Amino acid sequence: MASTKVAGVDVSTAHFIDGKRVESKRTFEVCSPIDGKHLADVSAGGADQIDEAVTAARRAFPKWAALGAEGRHPILSRFAKAILDHTKELSAVETEDNGSLLIGNVGRMVPRAAHNIQYFADRALKLNDEKIDSPEVVNHVRFDPAGVAALITPWNGPFMLTTWKVGPCLAAGDTAVVKPPEWAPLTCSMMADLAAEAGVPAGVLNIVQGIGEEAGAALAAHPDVDRLSFTGSTDTAKLIGASTARSLTPVSFELGGKSPFVVCADADLDAAAQTAAGQYFNAGQVCLAGTRILADAKIADEFLAKFRAAASQMTVGDPREKTTRVGPLITPEHYKRVEGFVARALKAGVKPLWGGHRHAAGELYFEPTLIEGVAQDQEIVQREVFGPVLTWQTFGDEDEAIKLANGTDYGLAAVIFSRNEERAMRLARQVVAGTVWVNCFFVRDLGAPFGGSRNSGIGREGGNWSFDFYCDVKNIAASKGSFA
Protein backbone atom coordinates (compact mmCIF):
# COMPACT_ATOMS: atom_id res chain seq x y z
CA MET A 1 0.00 0.00 0.00
CA ALA A 2 1.33 3.42 -0.97
CA SER A 3 2.98 5.43 1.78
CA THR A 4 5.58 8.13 2.27
CA LYS A 5 8.10 8.99 4.95
CA VAL A 6 7.87 12.53 6.33
CA ALA A 7 10.18 13.73 9.10
CA GLY A 8 11.03 10.08 9.69
CA VAL A 9 7.38 9.10 10.07
CA ASP A 10 5.58 6.63 7.78
CA VAL A 11 2.34 8.13 6.46
CA SER A 12 -0.16 6.36 4.23
CA THR A 13 -1.06 8.25 1.06
CA ALA A 14 -4.22 6.19 0.42
CA HIS A 15 -7.77 6.95 1.47
CA PHE A 16 -9.22 5.31 4.58
CA ILE A 17 -12.66 3.88 3.82
CA ASP A 18 -14.61 1.34 5.88
CA GLY A 19 -11.55 0.53 7.97
CA LYS A 20 -9.32 -0.20 4.96
CA ARG A 21 -6.77 1.69 2.91
CA VAL A 22 -8.01 2.36 -0.62
CA GLU A 23 -5.87 3.76 -3.43
CA SER A 24 -6.92 5.82 -6.43
CA LYS A 25 -5.39 5.63 -9.87
CA ARG A 26 -4.89 9.39 -9.89
CA THR A 27 -2.75 11.27 -7.39
CA PHE A 28 -1.92 14.84 -6.48
CA GLU A 29 1.41 16.20 -5.33
CA VAL A 30 2.10 17.53 -1.84
CA CYS A 31 5.20 19.66 -1.28
CA SER A 32 6.56 21.24 1.89
CA PRO A 33 6.22 25.03 2.05
CA ILE A 34 9.41 25.14 4.10
CA ASP A 35 11.71 24.44 1.18
CA GLY A 36 9.57 23.14 -1.69
CA LYS A 37 10.60 19.53 -0.99
CA HIS A 38 8.35 16.86 -2.51
CA LEU A 39 6.59 15.03 0.31
CA ALA A 40 4.10 12.71 -1.32
CA ASP A 41 1.88 11.74 -4.22
CA VAL A 42 -1.48 11.33 -2.52
CA SER A 43 -4.48 9.40 -3.83
CA ALA A 44 -6.94 11.78 -5.48
CA GLY A 45 -10.49 10.77 -4.71
CA GLY A 46 -13.58 11.66 -6.65
CA ALA A 47 -17.27 10.86 -6.73
CA ASP A 48 -16.73 7.08 -6.62
CA GLN A 49 -14.60 7.15 -3.47
CA ILE A 50 -16.94 9.66 -1.83
CA ASP A 51 -19.92 7.42 -2.53
CA GLU A 52 -18.05 4.41 -1.17
CA ALA A 53 -17.17 6.33 2.01
CA VAL A 54 -20.69 7.68 2.55
CA THR A 55 -22.10 4.19 2.03
CA ALA A 56 -19.66 2.78 4.61
CA ALA A 57 -20.56 5.53 7.07
CA ARG A 58 -24.26 4.89 6.58
CA ARG A 59 -23.75 1.17 7.14
CA ALA A 60 -21.75 1.77 10.34
CA PHE A 61 -24.13 4.36 11.75
CA PRO A 62 -26.79 2.18 13.47
CA LYS A 63 -24.32 0.22 15.61
CA TRP A 64 -22.23 3.30 16.48
CA ALA A 65 -25.36 5.25 17.45
CA ALA A 66 -26.72 2.32 19.47
CA LEU A 67 -23.61 2.24 21.67
CA GLY A 68 -24.83 5.40 23.36
CA ALA A 69 -22.52 8.00 24.86
CA GLU A 70 -21.44 5.53 27.54
CA GLY A 71 -20.38 2.92 24.98
CA ARG A 72 -18.57 5.41 22.76
CA HIS A 73 -16.75 7.14 25.63
CA PRO A 74 -13.98 4.55 26.27
CA ILE A 75 -13.25 4.26 22.55
CA LEU A 76 -12.97 8.02 22.10
CA SER A 77 -10.88 8.31 25.27
CA ARG A 78 -8.40 5.81 23.79
CA PHE A 79 -8.44 7.85 20.58
CA ALA A 80 -7.58 11.03 22.50
CA LYS A 81 -4.77 9.26 24.35
CA ALA A 82 -3.38 7.88 21.11
CA ILE A 83 -3.14 11.43 19.76
CA LEU A 84 -1.26 12.59 22.85
CA ASP A 85 1.04 9.59 22.68
CA HIS A 86 1.96 10.54 19.10
CA THR A 87 2.39 14.27 19.68
CA LYS A 88 5.99 14.28 18.45
CA GLU A 89 5.24 12.47 15.18
CA LEU A 90 2.04 14.38 14.42
CA SER A 91 3.72 17.70 15.11
CA ALA A 92 6.71 16.94 12.90
CA VAL A 93 4.54 15.87 9.97
CA GLU A 94 2.18 18.85 10.37
CA THR A 95 5.11 21.27 10.30
CA GLU A 96 6.59 19.70 7.17
CA ASP A 97 3.18 19.58 5.50
CA ASN A 98 1.83 23.08 6.13
CA GLY A 99 4.78 25.09 7.47
CA SER A 100 3.30 25.80 10.90
CA LEU A 101 5.61 26.31 13.87
CA LEU A 102 6.89 23.06 15.37
CA ILE A 103 6.92 24.49 18.90
CA GLY A 104 3.29 25.52 18.45
CA ASN A 105 2.25 22.09 17.23
CA VAL A 106 4.03 20.29 20.07
CA GLY A 107 2.98 22.67 22.82
CA ARG A 108 -0.51 23.66 21.75
CA MET A 109 -2.10 22.32 18.59
CA VAL A 110 -1.71 18.55 18.98
CA PRO A 111 -2.55 18.54 22.71
CA ARG A 112 -5.60 20.65 21.86
CA ALA A 113 -6.57 18.08 19.23
CA ALA A 114 -6.57 15.35 21.87
CA HIS A 115 -8.60 17.62 24.16
CA ASN A 116 -11.13 18.15 21.36
CA ILE A 117 -11.82 14.42 21.28
CA GLN A 118 -11.84 13.89 25.05
CA TYR A 119 -13.90 16.97 25.91
CA PHE A 120 -16.82 16.08 23.67
CA ALA A 121 -16.71 12.42 24.67
CA ASP A 122 -17.04 13.54 28.30
CA ARG A 123 -19.74 16.12 27.61
CA ALA A 124 -21.88 13.69 25.64
CA LEU A 125 -22.35 11.61 28.81
CA LYS A 126 -24.62 14.34 30.22
CA LEU A 127 -26.49 15.29 27.07
CA ASN A 128 -29.80 13.60 27.80
CA ASP A 129 -30.06 14.58 31.46
CA GLU A 130 -32.11 17.75 30.92
CA LYS A 131 -35.77 17.81 32.01
CA ILE A 132 -38.05 20.83 31.75
CA ASP A 133 -40.94 20.72 34.20
CA SER A 134 -44.19 22.40 33.19
CA PRO A 135 -47.71 22.27 34.74
CA GLU A 136 -49.05 19.41 32.64
CA VAL A 137 -45.99 17.56 31.36
CA VAL A 138 -42.37 16.77 31.98
CA ASN A 139 -40.27 17.61 28.90
CA HIS A 140 -37.39 15.21 28.36
CA VAL A 141 -34.85 16.79 26.00
CA ARG A 142 -32.93 14.28 23.90
CA PHE A 143 -29.97 14.64 21.59
CA ASP A 144 -30.28 11.78 19.12
CA PRO A 145 -27.54 10.97 16.57
CA ALA A 146 -28.32 12.56 13.22
CA GLY A 147 -26.58 10.19 10.80
CA VAL A 148 -23.67 10.72 8.40
CA ALA A 149 -21.68 13.93 8.64
CA ALA A 150 -19.45 15.40 5.94
CA LEU A 151 -16.47 17.24 7.41
CA ILE A 152 -14.43 19.48 5.10
CA THR A 153 -11.37 20.89 6.80
CA PRO A 154 -8.78 23.66 6.15
CA TRP A 155 -5.03 23.58 5.60
CA ASN A 156 -3.87 26.16 8.16
CA GLY A 157 -4.34 23.80 11.13
CA PRO A 158 -5.53 20.58 9.51
CA PHE A 159 -5.07 18.13 12.36
CA MET A 160 -6.42 20.22 15.22
CA LEU A 161 -9.25 21.73 13.20
CA THR A 162 -10.32 18.32 11.93
CA THR A 163 -10.56 16.99 15.49
CA TRP A 164 -12.64 20.07 16.33
CA LYS A 165 -15.24 18.54 14.00
CA VAL A 166 -14.55 14.83 14.50
CA GLY A 167 -14.76 15.07 18.31
CA PRO A 168 -18.38 16.24 18.65
CA CYS A 169 -19.46 14.36 15.52
CA LEU A 170 -18.39 10.95 16.81
CA ALA A 171 -19.34 11.73 20.42
CA ALA A 172 -22.84 12.59 19.23
CA GLY A 173 -23.13 9.15 17.64
CA ASP A 174 -22.76 10.26 14.03
CA THR A 175 -20.38 8.68 11.54
CA ALA A 176 -18.08 10.81 9.41
CA VAL A 177 -16.57 11.29 6.00
CA VAL A 178 -13.63 13.71 6.18
CA LYS A 179 -12.28 15.54 3.15
CA PRO A 180 -8.87 16.86 4.26
CA PRO A 181 -7.25 19.92 2.65
CA GLU A 182 -5.34 19.03 -0.51
CA TRP A 183 -2.55 21.44 0.43
CA ALA A 184 -1.86 19.65 3.74
CA PRO A 185 -3.60 16.25 4.01
CA LEU A 186 -0.99 14.07 5.71
CA THR A 187 -1.85 14.32 9.42
CA CYS A 188 -5.49 13.58 8.68
CA SER A 189 -4.32 10.31 7.15
CA MET A 190 -2.42 9.60 10.38
CA MET A 191 -5.59 10.36 12.34
CA ALA A 192 -7.39 7.49 10.63
CA ASP A 193 -4.77 4.99 11.79
CA LEU A 194 -4.85 6.31 15.37
CA ALA A 195 -8.64 6.06 15.45
CA ALA A 196 -8.58 2.49 14.17
CA GLU A 197 -5.92 1.49 16.71
CA ALA A 198 -8.10 2.99 19.46
CA GLY A 199 -11.02 0.77 18.43
CA VAL A 200 -13.16 3.16 16.38
CA PRO A 201 -15.17 0.66 14.28
CA ALA A 202 -14.78 0.36 10.53
CA GLY A 203 -16.89 2.87 8.64
CA VAL A 204 -17.29 5.29 11.56
CA LEU A 205 -14.43 7.56 10.47
CA ASN A 206 -13.59 7.68 6.76
CA ILE A 207 -10.97 9.87 5.07
CA VAL A 208 -11.18 10.68 1.35
CA GLN A 209 -8.36 12.81 0.02
CA GLY A 210 -8.71 14.89 -3.09
CA ILE A 211 -9.11 18.25 -4.74
CA GLY A 212 -11.93 20.45 -3.48
CA GLU A 213 -13.56 20.83 -6.87
CA GLU A 214 -13.73 17.04 -7.19
CA ALA A 215 -13.89 15.19 -3.87
CA GLY A 216 -15.20 18.18 -1.92
CA ALA A 217 -17.88 18.97 -4.46
CA ALA A 218 -19.00 15.33 -4.63
CA LEU A 219 -19.27 15.16 -0.84
CA ALA A 220 -21.28 18.38 -0.61
CA ALA A 221 -23.68 17.16 -3.28
CA HIS A 222 -24.15 13.64 -1.90
CA PRO A 223 -27.84 13.08 -1.08
CA ASP A 224 -27.15 10.65 1.78
CA VAL A 225 -25.25 13.15 3.96
CA ASP A 226 -27.19 14.39 7.00
CA ARG A 227 -24.88 17.17 8.20
CA LEU A 228 -22.04 19.15 6.61
CA SER A 229 -19.45 21.16 8.51
CA PHE A 230 -17.01 23.28 6.53
CA THR A 231 -14.15 25.58 7.49
CA GLY A 232 -12.69 27.65 4.67
CA SER A 233 -13.38 30.57 2.39
CA THR A 234 -16.67 32.42 2.02
CA ASP A 235 -16.68 31.89 -1.77
CA THR A 236 -16.32 28.11 -1.38
CA ALA A 237 -19.04 28.07 1.28
CA LYS A 238 -21.47 29.66 -1.18
CA LEU A 239 -20.84 26.83 -3.65
CA ILE A 240 -21.27 24.22 -0.92
CA GLY A 241 -24.44 25.92 0.29
CA ALA A 242 -25.94 25.72 -3.20
CA SER A 243 -25.20 21.97 -3.31
CA THR A 244 -26.50 21.15 0.16
CA ALA A 245 -29.66 23.18 -0.42
CA ARG A 246 -30.88 20.58 -2.91
CA SER A 247 -31.12 18.02 -0.09
CA LEU A 248 -31.84 20.54 2.68
CA THR A 249 -28.70 19.30 4.44
CA PRO A 250 -28.02 21.38 7.57
CA VAL A 251 -24.66 23.15 7.41
CA SER A 252 -22.20 24.72 9.82
CA PHE A 253 -19.80 27.17 8.19
CA GLU A 254 -16.75 28.75 9.85
CA LEU A 255 -15.40 31.12 7.23
CA GLY A 256 -12.99 33.98 6.74
CA GLY A 257 -12.38 37.04 8.84
CA LYS A 258 -11.09 40.59 8.70
CA SER A 259 -11.10 41.18 12.40
CA PRO A 260 -10.51 44.53 14.11
CA PHE A 261 -7.87 44.96 16.82
CA VAL A 262 -9.00 47.99 18.85
CA VAL A 263 -6.51 49.75 21.13
CA CYS A 264 -8.12 52.31 23.45
CA ALA A 265 -6.28 55.24 25.00
CA ASP A 266 -6.41 53.62 28.44
CA ALA A 267 -5.05 50.25 27.26
CA ASP A 268 -1.97 48.50 28.59
CA LEU A 269 0.06 49.46 25.51
CA ASP A 270 2.88 47.00 26.16
CA ALA A 271 0.45 44.07 26.37
CA ALA A 272 -1.47 45.34 23.35
CA ALA A 273 1.73 45.67 21.32
CA GLN A 274 2.89 42.15 22.14
CA THR A 275 -0.54 40.75 21.27
CA ALA A 276 -0.68 42.74 18.04
CA ALA A 277 2.69 41.32 17.01
CA GLY A 278 1.23 37.87 17.68
CA GLN A 279 -1.18 38.40 14.79
CA TYR A 280 1.75 37.50 12.54
CA PHE A 281 1.95 33.93 13.93
CA ASN A 282 1.53 31.13 11.37
CA ALA A 283 2.51 33.72 8.77
CA GLY A 284 -0.84 35.40 9.35
CA GLN A 285 -2.68 32.34 8.04
CA VAL A 286 -5.19 32.49 10.89
CA CYS A 287 -8.81 33.35 10.14
CA LEU A 288 -9.28 34.77 13.65
CA ALA A 289 -6.34 37.19 13.46
CA GLY A 290 -6.96 40.85 14.24
CA THR A 291 -5.61 42.12 10.94
CA ARG A 292 -7.00 45.67 11.15
CA ILE A 293 -5.18 47.63 13.87
CA LEU A 294 -7.41 50.48 15.11
CA ALA A 295 -5.66 52.76 17.61
CA ASP A 296 -6.99 55.73 19.51
CA ALA A 297 -5.36 58.81 17.96
CA LYS A 298 -4.32 60.06 21.42
CA ILE A 299 -1.92 57.16 21.93
CA ALA A 300 -1.29 56.20 18.30
CA ASP A 301 2.36 57.30 18.13
CA GLU A 302 3.28 55.74 21.46
CA PHE A 303 1.53 52.48 20.65
CA LEU A 304 3.00 52.32 17.15
CA ALA A 305 6.52 52.59 18.57
CA LYS A 306 5.84 49.73 20.97
CA PHE A 307 4.19 47.69 18.24
CA ARG A 308 7.16 48.23 15.92
CA ALA A 309 9.54 47.02 18.62
CA ALA A 310 7.41 43.92 19.28
CA ALA A 311 7.03 43.13 15.59
CA SER A 312 10.80 43.36 15.09
CA GLN A 313 11.14 40.36 17.40
CA MET A 314 8.95 38.19 15.16
CA THR A 315 11.77 36.16 13.63
CA VAL A 316 11.04 34.86 10.13
CA GLY A 317 12.54 31.53 9.17
CA ASP A 318 12.40 27.74 9.25
CA PRO A 319 9.35 26.75 11.36
CA ARG A 320 11.29 23.79 12.76
CA GLU A 321 13.60 26.17 14.63
CA LYS A 322 12.61 27.11 18.18
CA THR A 323 13.39 30.82 17.65
CA THR A 324 11.16 31.18 14.57
CA ARG A 325 7.88 33.02 14.99
CA VAL A 326 6.83 33.50 11.34
CA GLY A 327 7.14 30.62 8.87
CA PRO A 328 6.28 30.29 5.18
CA LEU A 329 3.05 30.75 3.31
CA ILE A 330 1.47 27.47 2.28
CA THR A 331 2.00 27.34 -1.53
CA PRO A 332 3.37 29.43 -4.40
CA GLU A 333 -0.23 30.07 -5.43
CA HIS A 334 -1.07 31.49 -2.03
CA TYR A 335 2.15 33.51 -1.91
CA LYS A 336 1.17 35.20 -5.17
CA ARG A 337 -2.25 35.97 -3.70
CA VAL A 338 -0.78 37.68 -0.63
CA GLU A 339 1.84 39.50 -2.67
CA GLY A 340 -0.88 40.67 -5.06
CA PHE A 341 -2.92 42.24 -2.25
CA VAL A 342 0.10 44.23 -1.10
CA ALA A 343 1.15 45.24 -4.62
CA ARG A 344 -2.33 46.57 -5.44
CA ALA A 345 -2.48 48.46 -2.16
CA LEU A 346 0.88 50.11 -2.80
CA LYS A 347 -0.18 50.99 -6.33
CA ALA A 348 -3.25 52.69 -4.85
CA GLY A 349 -0.95 55.03 -2.91
CA VAL A 350 -0.66 53.53 0.57
CA LYS A 351 2.72 52.68 2.08
CA PRO A 352 4.13 50.04 4.39
CA LEU A 353 5.27 51.18 7.80
CA TRP A 354 7.36 48.01 7.68
CA GLY A 355 7.64 44.92 5.52
CA GLY A 356 5.88 44.58 2.20
CA HIS A 357 8.28 42.24 0.39
CA ARG A 358 9.56 38.69 0.15
CA HIS A 359 11.78 37.72 3.07
CA ALA A 360 15.27 36.39 2.50
CA ALA A 361 14.37 33.12 4.29
CA GLY A 362 12.95 31.60 1.10
CA GLU A 363 10.54 31.67 -1.81
CA LEU A 364 7.36 31.41 0.27
CA TYR A 365 8.38 33.67 3.15
CA PHE A 366 6.77 37.13 3.32
CA GLU A 367 7.89 39.86 5.67
CA PRO A 368 5.57 40.83 8.54
CA THR A 369 3.90 43.91 7.12
CA LEU A 370 1.93 46.89 8.41
CA ILE A 371 0.27 49.23 5.91
CA GLU A 372 -0.85 52.77 6.72
CA GLY A 373 -2.79 55.42 4.86
CA VAL A 374 -5.62 53.06 3.94
CA ALA A 375 -9.19 54.07 3.20
CA GLN A 376 -12.02 52.02 4.65
CA ASP A 377 -13.30 51.00 1.23
CA GLN A 378 -9.95 49.75 -0.09
CA GLU A 379 -9.48 46.08 -0.93
CA ILE A 380 -6.67 45.69 1.61
CA VAL A 381 -9.11 46.68 4.38
CA GLN A 382 -12.17 44.89 3.07
CA ARG A 383 -10.86 41.50 1.89
CA GLU A 384 -9.12 38.70 3.78
CA VAL A 385 -5.43 38.56 2.83
CA PHE A 386 -4.58 35.49 4.94
CA GLY A 387 -0.95 36.40 5.24
CA PRO A 388 1.32 38.42 7.57
CA VAL A 389 -0.21 41.70 6.42
CA LEU A 390 -1.95 44.11 8.82
CA THR A 391 -3.42 47.57 8.24
CA TRP A 392 -3.15 50.64 10.48
CA GLN A 393 -5.98 53.11 11.17
CA THR A 394 -6.69 55.57 13.99
CA PHE A 395 -9.95 56.76 15.54
CA GLY A 396 -11.02 59.80 17.51
CA ASP A 397 -13.81 58.41 19.69
CA GLU A 398 -15.74 55.24 20.43
CA ASP A 399 -18.36 55.86 17.76
CA GLU A 400 -15.67 56.06 15.09
CA ALA A 401 -13.95 52.97 16.50
CA ILE A 402 -17.16 50.94 16.18
CA LYS A 403 -17.85 52.31 12.71
CA LEU A 404 -14.40 51.22 11.54
CA ALA A 405 -14.57 47.89 13.38
CA ASN A 406 -17.91 46.98 11.82
CA GLY A 407 -17.05 48.42 8.41
CA THR A 408 -16.52 45.14 6.53
CA ASP A 409 -18.69 42.21 5.39
CA TYR A 410 -17.06 39.91 7.95
CA GLY A 411 -17.82 39.22 11.60
CA LEU A 412 -15.65 36.40 12.87
CA ALA A 413 -13.70 37.91 15.76
CA ALA A 414 -12.47 41.10 17.38
CA VAL A 415 -9.80 42.11 19.89
CA ILE A 416 -10.25 45.03 22.30
CA PHE A 417 -7.62 46.42 24.66
CA SER A 418 -8.79 48.73 27.45
CA ARG A 419 -8.18 48.93 31.19
CA ASN A 420 -11.70 50.28 31.69
CA GLU A 421 -14.04 47.31 32.04
CA GLU A 422 -17.19 49.33 31.33
CA ARG A 423 -15.70 50.76 28.13
CA ALA A 424 -14.33 47.40 27.01
CA MET A 425 -17.65 45.64 27.50
CA ARG A 426 -19.54 48.48 25.85
CA LEU A 427 -17.37 48.19 22.75
CA ALA A 428 -17.55 44.39 22.84
CA ARG A 429 -21.35 44.48 22.83
CA GLN A 430 -21.43 46.77 19.80
CA VAL A 431 -18.89 45.07 17.58
CA VAL A 432 -20.26 42.48 15.14
CA ALA A 433 -18.29 39.29 15.81
CA GLY A 434 -18.79 35.72 16.95
CA THR A 435 -15.90 36.00 19.42
CA VAL A 436 -14.57 39.14 21.10
CA TRP A 437 -11.34 38.91 23.08
CA VAL A 438 -10.80 41.61 25.70
CA ASN A 439 -7.18 42.17 26.74
CA CYS A 440 -6.21 38.75 25.34
CA PHE A 441 -6.25 36.74 22.13
CA PHE A 442 -6.77 33.15 20.92
CA VAL A 443 -8.16 31.82 24.18
CA ARG A 444 -10.92 29.31 23.40
CA ASP A 445 -12.85 27.26 25.91
CA LEU A 446 -14.53 24.29 24.25
CA GLY A 447 -17.68 24.93 26.27
CA ALA A 448 -18.17 28.38 24.73
CA PRO A 449 -19.93 29.07 21.44
CA PHE A 450 -17.73 29.60 18.40
CA GLY A 451 -18.62 30.80 14.92
CA GLY A 452 -18.98 33.86 12.74
CA SER A 453 -21.51 36.47 11.72
CA ARG A 454 -22.17 38.02 8.30
CA ASN A 455 -19.81 36.51 5.70
CA SER A 456 -17.81 34.80 8.42
CA GLY A 457 -20.14 31.88 8.87
CA ILE A 458 -23.39 30.18 9.75
CA GLY A 459 -24.09 28.57 13.10
CA ARG A 460 -22.17 28.04 16.32
CA GLU A 461 -20.18 25.08 17.60
CA GLY A 462 -18.61 24.33 20.98
CA GLY A 463 -20.28 22.91 24.09
CA ASN A 464 -23.90 21.97 23.50
CA TRP A 465 -23.96 24.15 20.40
CA SER A 466 -21.93 21.42 18.68
CA PHE A 467 -24.47 18.80 19.70
CA ASP A 468 -27.30 21.05 18.55
CA PHE A 469 -25.75 20.68 15.11
CA TYR A 470 -24.59 17.07 15.08
CA CYS A 471 -27.77 15.74 16.72
CA ASP A 472 -31.47 15.68 16.05
CA VAL A 473 -32.73 17.47 19.14
CA LYS A 474 -35.99 15.93 20.35
CA ASN A 475 -38.46 16.86 23.07
CA ILE A 476 -40.53 14.10 24.71
CA ALA A 477 -43.45 15.72 26.53
CA ALA A 478 -44.77 13.12 28.97
CA SER A 479 -48.09 13.82 30.68
CA LYS A 480 -47.89 13.98 34.44
CA GLY A 481 -49.84 11.35 36.32
CA SER A 482 -50.66 9.30 33.23
CA PHE A 483 -48.47 6.31 34.03
CA ALA A 484 -49.64 3.44 36.19
Side-chain angles (χ1 to χ4, degrees):
M1 189 60 65
S3 66
T4 188
K5 191 176 286 292
V6 178
V9 180
D10 288 320
V11 183
S12 174
T13 56
H15 313 296
F16 188 80
I17 301 173
D18 203 16
K20 302 182 293 292
R21 288 292 177 177
V22 177
E23 293 186 63
S24 294
K25 293 180 180 179
R26 296 186 302 117
T27 62
F28 61 93
E29 184 181 35
V30 176
C31 296
S32 175
I34 298 173
D35 51 14
K37 176 184 176 183
H38 175 83
L39 295 179
D41 292 313
V42 177
S43 282
D48 289 345
Q49 287 76 30
I50 289 294
D51 186 62
E52 186 179 348
V54 172
T55 299
R58 176 62 62 197
R59 187 166 54 243
F61 170 66
K63 288 185 178 180
W64 182 246
L67 285 176
E70 295 80 5
R72 294 186 290 269
H73 186 272
I75 300 172
L76 295 177
S77 294
R78 290 196 297 270
F79 185 15
K81 184 179 184 300
I83 290 171
L84 276 182
D85 289 345
H86 290 81
T87 295
K88 181 179 178 181
E89 298 95 320
L90 289 162
S91 298
V93 174
E94 188 90 312
T95 294
E96 291 281 348
D97 202 15
N98 81 337
S100 53
L101 299 184
L102 181 60
I103 58 170
N105 287 328
V106 171
R108 181 185 180 103
M109 300 297 275
V110 175
R112 181 56 179 255
H115 182 52
N116 287 343
I117 303 296
Q118 189 66 61
Y119 171 87
F120 287 107
D122 293 345
R123 188 161 189 133
L125 294 173
K126 300 180 180 180
L127 269 185
N128 293 318
D129 290 348
E130 184 179 1
K131 295 181 179 65
I132 302 171
D133 193 19
S134 59
E136 296 181 359
V137 300
V138 176
N139 300 278
H140 302 260
V141 181
R142 288 195 53 81
F143 290 78
D144 293 336
V148 176
L151 311 177
I152 303 177
T153 59
W155 50 262
N156 57 326
F159 189 76
M160 191 280 287
L161 291 174
T162 299
T163 62
W164 164 247
K165 300 178 188 298
V166 167
C169 173
L170 299 193
D174 293 354
T175 54
V177 178
V178 176
K179 208 296 283 183
E182 57 262 36
W183 286 353
L186 299 180
T187 49
C188 286
S189 178
M190 296 172 68
M191 179 189 302
D193 293 326
L194 295 177
E197 290 170 11
V200 175
V204 170
L205 178 62
N206 306 275
I207 311 287
V208 179
Q209 300 152 153
I211 306 304
E213 292 84 353
E214 298 171 357
L219 185 55
H222 201 287
D224 206 21
V225 165
D226 299 292
R227 297 289 189 274
L228 187 145
S229 178
F230 168 75
T231 300
S233 74
T234 301
D235 288 342
T236 301
K238 291 178 180 178
L239 297 174
I240 292 174
S243 292
T244 56
R246 289 193 285 270
S247 299
L248 291 180
T249 304
V251 297
S252 177
F253 288 158
E254 194 264 285
L255 309 177
K258 195 69 177 175
S259 302
F261 189 111
V262 181
V263 183
C264 298
D266 59 3
D268 179 336
L269 299 187
D270 290 316
Q274 291 295 326
T275 307
Q279 309 308 295
Y280 292 124
F281 277 124
N282 206 29
Q285 298 167 129
V286 178
C287 56
L288 296 163
T291 56
R292 295 183 294 128
I293 309 297
L294 309 177
D296 191 307
K298 293 186 286 295
I299 49 86
D301 291 342
E302 181 183 2
F303 173 67
L304 183 60
K306 292 178 181 292
F307 182 21
R308 184 188 294 272
S312 71
Q313 302 301 308
M314 299 298 291
T315 305
V316 180
D318 190 321
R320 296 166 295 195
E321 299 294 332
K322 291 182 178 180
T323 57
T324 297
R325 293 296 176 267
V326 180
L329 295 170
I330 184 72
T331 63
E333 176 185 353
H334 189 58
Y335 181 92
K336 290 178 182 178
R337 182 179 185 276
V338 172
E339 186 179 52
F341 270 106
V342 174
R344 290 189 296 274
L346 299 185
K347 187 176 181 180
V350 304
K351 66 176 184 178
L353 284 162
W354 55 77
H357 301 93
R358 188 190 306 273
H359 192 274
E363 288 295 310
L364 298 185
Y365 295 76
F366 201 85
E367 296 174 334
T369 299
L370 181 65
I371 295 176
E372 70 166 346
V374 296
Q376 187 66 21
D377 62 353
Q378 282 185 282
E379 177 193 55
I380 197 72
V381 175
Q382 292 294 321
R383 301 270 68 82
E384 185 178 43
V385 178
F386 221 58
V389 179
L390 312 181
T391 58
W392 171 264
Q393 294 170 281
T394 62
F395 59 87
D397 56 28
E398 288 185 20
D399 288 343
E400 185 179 10
I402 290 299
K403 182 178 179 181
L404 292 172
N406 290 340
T408 75
D409 293 334
Y410 295 99
L412 185 56
V415 183
I416 297 170
F417 268 83
S418 171
R419 284 192 176 98
N420 184 304
E421 182 177 5
E422 182 180 349
R423 175 178 293 114
M425 298 307 291
R426 183 168 61 243
L427 291 170
R429 286 192 295 269
Q430 293 180 78
V431 72
V432 178
T435 299
V436 181
W437 282 289
V438 177
N439 298 327
C440 61
F441 176 66
F442 216 50
V443 180
R444 280 179 56 186
D445 189 295
L446 287 183
F450 178 78
S453 303
R454 295 177 173 170
N455 280 352
S456 289
I458 295 174
R460 295 291 184 271
E461 295 188 34
N464 274 19
W465 288 274
S466 285
F467 293 114
D468 284 344
F469 175 69
Y470 287 108
C471 293
D472 284 328
V473 182
K474 176 190 297 179
N475 182 47
I476 302 173
S479 175
K480 289 182 175 180
S482 63
F483 299 109

